[in-house]
Amino acid sequence: MFKIKGLLNRVYAARLPSIEDLEQILSLQKDEEIEELFAFADKVRKDFCGDGIILRGIIEFSNFCFRECSYCGLNKGNHKLERYRMDKGELFKAIEYLASFNIKTVVLQSGEDERLDVLWLTDVIKGIKSRFDMAVTLSVGERSADDYRLWRQSGADRYLLKIESSDAALYASMHPKMDFGKRLDRLGILRKLGYQIGSGNIIGLPGQTLKTIARDIIFFKRGDFDMIGIGPFIPHQYSRFAGLKEGDARISLKALALTRIVTKDAHIPATTALGNLDKDYRRDGLKCGANVLMLNFTPQPYRRLYEIYPHKEAVNEPADFCNSYIDNIAKDLGRFIDYSKADSLKGTDLRLAQETSLVGG
Ligand code: SAM
């Protein structure tokens, strides 16, 4: 034990760690060193976020998408995929079901649906806010500043817009007709409007290296994001990246742990994609820095059709099954389920966790 303690402490204490240090940690191979990394990240999670496992409920309300992202099964060129758009009645039924589990955040996600009417979503947000005590997170891609403003004014609290890769060339290679600079602009607009914002990346993309991942972590630190989602790449047969190797679970977990150590108080989920590999790694994610679980409340048959990647059983579990699953996980890990809205920890008292507790300790 304690073989890499100095390195971990240096990264933890740095205002901005060096790429070389991050790369060195990401390249650790020995089990005992990786365990040390995970234990360190778990301690940072405990110090800055506490022992609560925060629950979010996601509803994927449309799988229409006009984008051509090389990794994603929703890409516009996938004509095999049956497309759907939930109506308000179906959506509110799903939200009521989610509320019945006492979950206080709904994540409304869709592909980049050109027909998503700004006023339709405005009405949905207002409806949720008037009927439920619930935070609303949006994840509907790049929209105009006016749309973002209207949704924020209607009560939307948070916005997820992952950078996927912070390397401009890598980003361009897998996002035809998209613009890296524009993505950054959208994030700036969302922040100015007062949204809590989420970023994140995909691990295992073709052309990605440990150095690129290290740079992603620096990007997360610099961006001071409220939420960061790190998940492995899972190939989809009707995407440009069909047949490629899926992202490595261990590298994904190392990146998650390191992101926790560097960013300290961001909300970091054990992503759904982590539950979709050869086994379910979400529990491992919760043990090395993650403090959030996302439960899927998209009703069937739509859930099956929101196929960003092929689903394994764990992702297709009904929400009530997930509920007993998470109760067991919490008990096992000596943690508890946090049924609050769990807003961003940025700028709150919880942030005053002893900055030095791990340094030299
Ligand atoms: N359209 C919105 C956007 O672009 O932000 C949200 C929907 S998008 C389908 C949600 C997330 O799915 C993306 O941010 C991406 O990280 C993830 N994703 C898509 N395809 C994936 C794949 N094959 N493997 C892992 N993650 C994937």
Side-chain angles (χ1 to χ4, degrees), residues 112 118 125 138 140-156 159-161 182-183 185-191 193 195:
E112 291 210 25
V118 58
I125 297 163
L138 302 179
V140 300
E142 293 179 22
R143 300 282 300 207
S144 72
D146 286 344
D147 290 0
Y148 288 156
R149 186 175 303 106
L150 192 57
W151 292 334
R152 177 80 188 115
Q153 285 166 350
S154 314
Y159 206 101
L160 302 179
L161 189 69
K182 186 167 175 222
R183 191 107 178 147
D185 283 352
R186 299 296 100 181
L187 286 169
I189 292 166
L190 289 163
R191 168 149 287 156
L193 288 169
Y195 283 94

Side-chain angles (χ1 to χ4, degrees), residues 71-72 109-110 112 139 141 162 164 202 232 234 306 308-309:
Y71 44 83
C72 187
Q109 191 178 88
S110 68
E112 291 210 25
S139 175
K162 286 172 69 175
E164 320 296 0
I202 304 179
I234 299 167
Y306 196 79
I308 53 182
Y309 42 69

Side-chain angles (χ1 to χ4, degrees), residues 176-236:
K177 299 178 208 145
M178 287 179 79
D179 186 81
F180 185 72
K182 186 167 175 222
R183 191 107 178 147
L184 296 180
D185 283 352
R186 299 296 100 181
L187 286 169
I189 292 166
L190 289 163
R191 168 149 287 156
K192 271 206 195 113
L193 288 169
Y195 283 94
Q196 295 165 45
I197 52 175
S199 187
N201 64 355
I202 304 179
I203 301 289
L205 293 164
Q208 188 184 53
T209 62
L210 295 185
K211 188 173 254 135
T212 346
I213 299 173
R215 290 209 177 104
D216 289 346
I217 296 172
I218 296 288
F219 174 85
F220 301 147
K221 173 74 172 175
R222 282 216 168 99
D224 197 27
F225 294 102
D226 304 287
M227 305 164 283
I228 301 164
I230 293 171
F233 160 66
I234 299 167
H236 189 286

